[in-house]
């Protein structure tokens, strides 16, 4: 258990809204086919902004709308599997854009796919010594999609979510559980660049994301309940006021709801608007819930996700004294 609390959230999403009907002109599909199998009605795709740009927008929203002094930030972690570059990291680009290059900040990226934000939040909560940690999940998945593959292109979108956390002694806390196992069968896979042993450049095709939907579904319905049960420990699921799950597929969420005996109306769901935004999924939903004042004092939240790797993780958050008690003017 880590004595840290959330003091601000923000989110951003791609500027180009792609409806299911629009995808009918790209692949053999329909609005009814997509909605009945996934629950997704639309998703957003970024036209001009890369992953770091969405991350920056989400971070600025979190800082400005919650009246945070950005110079208190001492740690920046960005979770992404679609960074702008091999190097530099998105986190360093965020640092520069926020005007923190002269401040004592540690910044780096991590890749745990759709579980990435919860992984990053756990890292930040344990690494944070003083000041504020800025934890971001951000993706531009559209750049690794094969728009001829209806198994993937109908599912994913672009977005970002940012959370600010700090040490506290008011009773607020976070408890984590995270696991992984190697995906030897490449059920959810996107290749990197190949070796060039002949010491000369080799023309390489752009890698696209591929997915074995059936295997990913099977993994999801095992891993999400496992993560929730472990993070709850001896507590009852009835003690949880709100669950913010990875927004992958409505059928997965319905299965988890039934398996855990947790009502769907206590899950925050926005996949109908944004689709699956991978590492951005949980923080984007958290940011929306925060903005809609669904995060209240004396509340217990569970964040839970699963993703490529394979990875899976959960975080139980207890909020004591209200979400804005450190920002009286908010």
């Amino acid at each position: 258990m880590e004595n840290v609390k959330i003091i601000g959230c923000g989110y951003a999403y791609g500027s180009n809204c792609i409806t299911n009907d629009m995808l009918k002109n790209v692949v053999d599909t329909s609005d009814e086919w997509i909605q009945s199998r996934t629950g997704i009605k639309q998703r957003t795709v970024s036209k001009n902004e890369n992953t770091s740009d969405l991350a920056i927008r989400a971070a600025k929203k979190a800082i400005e709308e919650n009246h945070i002094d950005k110079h208190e930030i001492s740690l920046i972690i960005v979770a992404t599997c679609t960074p702008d570059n091999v190097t530099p990291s998105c986190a360093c680009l965020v640092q520069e854009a926020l005007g923190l290059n002269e401040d004592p900040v540690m910044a780096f990226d991590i890749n745990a796919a759709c579980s990435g934000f919860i992984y990053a939040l756990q890292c930040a909560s344990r690494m944070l010594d003083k000041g504020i940690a800025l934890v971001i999940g951000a993706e531009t998945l559209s750049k690794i999609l094969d728009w001829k593959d209806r198994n993937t292109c109908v599912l994913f979108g672009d977005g970002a979510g940012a959370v600010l956390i700090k040490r506290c002694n008011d009773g607020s806390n976070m408890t984590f559980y995270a696991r992984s196992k190697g995906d030897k069968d490449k059920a959810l896979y996107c290749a990197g660049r190949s070796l060039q042993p002949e010491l000369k450049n080799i023309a390489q095709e752009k890698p696209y994301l591929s997915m074995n939907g059936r295997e990913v579904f099977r993994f999801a319905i095992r891993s999400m309940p496992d993560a929730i049960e472990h993070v709850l420990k001896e507590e009852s699921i009835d003690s949880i006021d709100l669950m913010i799950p990875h927004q992958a597929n409505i059928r997965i969420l319905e299965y988890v709801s039934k398996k855990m005996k947790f009502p769907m109306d206590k899950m925050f769901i926005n996949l109908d608007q944004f689709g699956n935004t991978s590492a951005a999924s949980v923080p984007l939903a958290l940011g929306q819930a925060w903005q809609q004042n669904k995060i209240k004092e004396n509340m217990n939240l569970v964040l839970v996700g699963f993703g490529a790797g394979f990875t899976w993780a959960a975080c139980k958050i207890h909020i004591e004294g209200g979400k804005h008690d450190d920002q009286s003017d908010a």
Side-chain angles (χ1 to χ4, degrees), residues 7-314:
I7 60 170
C9 294
Y11 64 93
Y13 48 87
S15 59
N16 191 17
C17 178
I18 306 296
T19 65
N20 292 344
D21 282 333
M22 293 168 70
L23 286 176
K24 291 191 302 184
N25 300 319
V26 180
V27 289
D28 180 17
T29 191
S30 68
D31 177 62
E32 189 279 331
W33 189 90
I34 298 171
Q35 284 205 53
S36 65
R37 287 163 175 78
T38 70
I40 299 168
K41 297 179 181 179
Q42 62 184 44
R43 70 288 298 144
T44 65
V45 171
S46 183
K47 284 186 174 181
N48 302 309
E49 294 177 300
N50 211 329
T51 300
S52 67
D53 299 307
L54 293 176
I56 291 161
R57 274 211 286 129
K60 287 182 175 179
K61 184 180 179 76
I63 292 166
E64 294 166 4
E65 293 189 359
N66 294 282
H67 309 283
I68 306 297
D69 179 0
K70 67 180 183 180
H71 295 290
E72 291 187 40
I73 295 172
S74 60
L75 175 64
I76 302 172
I77 306 177
V78 175
T80 185
C81 60
T82 55
D84 299 26
N85 318 291
V86 174
T87 193
S89 69
C90 285
C92 285
L93 297 177
V94 170
Q95 178 185 2
E96 190 279 330
L98 294 179
L100 301 179
N101 274 359
E102 304 306 316
D103 291 35
V105 174
M106 180 181 184
F108 61 94
D109 292 355
I110 69 167
N111 177 2
C114 306
S115 307
F117 173 76
I118 302 175
Y119 269 54
L121 191 62
Q122 179 171 353
C123 291
S125 71
R126 294 184 177 175
M127 293 176 64
L128 185 62
D129 181 22
K130 59 182 179 179
I132 294 170
L134 171 59
V135 186
I136 304 171
E139 304 282 13
T140 46
L141 293 162
S142 59
K143 66 191 180 188
I144 62 169
L145 292 181
D146 179 355
W147 292 99
K148 296 179 181 179
D149 178 8
R150 74 170 184 172
N151 293 318
T152 56
C153 75
V154 303
L155 298 177
F156 297 97
D158 301 339
V163 169
L164 296 153
I165 64 169
K166 69 182 299 184
R167 290 273 169 212
C168 67
N169 55 15
D170 66 356
S172 298
N173 57 70
M174 297 184 187
T175 303
F176 294 93
Y177 173 83
R179 292 293 184 272
S180 64
K181 67 174 184 178
D183 177 14
K184 64 182 177 63
D185 296 320
K186 300 181 180 179
L188 193 50
Y189 180 74
C190 186
R193 297 182 68 86
S194 62
L195 298 173
Q196 301 186 115
E198 297 180 3
L199 307 184
K200 63 181 181 181
N201 293 337
I202 300 172
Q204 299 190 22
E205 294 183 2
K206 181 179 178 180
Y208 293 118
L209 182 68
S210 65
M211 183 178 71
N212 182 328
R214 181 173 296 179
E215 289 304 312
V216 172
F217 185 90
R218 287 175 179 170
F219 169 69
I221 62 174
R222 294 193 303 268
S223 62
M224 290 185 76
D226 174 72
I228 294 166
E229 289 169 356
H230 276 87
V231 84
L232 286 176
K233 297 181 178 178
E234 301 302 320
E235 294 185 51
S236 167
I237 190 71
D238 296 332
S239 67
I240 302 305
D241 302 296
L242 183 67
M243 184 179 295
I244 300 182
H246 170 46
Q247 311 286 316
N249 183 306
I250 195 64
R251 290 182 175 180
I252 293 172
L253 301 186
E254 288 169 347
Y255 180 93
V256 172
S257 171
K258 183 177 180 180
K259 171 77 172 178
M260 301 302 300
K261 297 180 172 59
F262 188 82
M264 289 288 289
D265 61 8
K266 291 174 71 175
M267 285 187 183
F268 189 91
I269 299 173
N270 65 0
L271 68 85
D272 58 320
Q273 304 173 63
F274 301 110
N276 182 344
T277 55
S278 189
S281 170
V282 170
L284 198 164
L286 179 59
Q288 278 199 311
W290 180 275
Q291 186 178 61
Q292 295 171 18
N293 292 315
K294 295 183 183 293
I295 312 298
K296 303 181 183 299
E297 64 181 16
N298 301 316
M299 176 177 271
N300 291 314
L301 313 179
V302 164
L303 315 179
V304 60
F306 69 94
F310 284 116
T311 62
W312 66 107

